[in-house]
Amino acid sequence: DGEMAVIGGNIREKIIEAIKNDNTISATQLAELLGVSKRTTERYIKELREKGLLERQGAARGGWWNLKV
């Protein structure tokens, strides 16, 4: 569905922008910021990680995101 691809692209862009602004932001905080479920956020994060665009550094709590964009 073309519309879903556009929505997905917007969420991906917003996740990248949010991480650029605060690389310690959590998936829960991203979900709240974007108005989507935590599960949706985690799915997009997984996709960005698999594409090599995003990496998690440090501990699960207290870690940070490393953008490769």
Side-chain angles (χ1 to χ4, degrees), residues 11-31:
I11 291 173
R12 270 188 292 278
E13 289 171 22
K14 288 178 181 177
I15 288 173
I16 290 168
E17 282 305 310
I19 290 172
K20 281 180 183 175
N21 290 330
D22 176 6
N23 71 343
T24 63
I25 195 167
S26 70
T28 303
Q29 290 169 317
L30 279 168

Side-chain angles (χ1 to χ4, degrees), residues 1-3 5 11 14 17 20 24 26 28 31 38-39 45 47-50 54-56 58-62 66 69:
D1 187 340
E3 186 177 325
I11 291 173
K14 288 178 181 177
E17 282 305 310
K20 281 180 183 175
T24 63
S26 70
T28 303
K38 182 180 175 194
R39 181 70 195 106
I45 287 171
E47 182 184 305
L48 290 168
R49 290 172 86 166
E50 287 174 350
L54 185 62
E55 208 173 65
R56 184 75 180 168
R61 289 180 179 261
N66 185 16
V69 185

Side-chain angles (χ1 to χ4, degrees), residues 3-13 44:
E3 186 177 325
M4 194 62 190
V6 171
I7 293 168
N10 289 342
I11 291 173
R12 270 188 292 278
E13 289 171 22
Y44 283 105

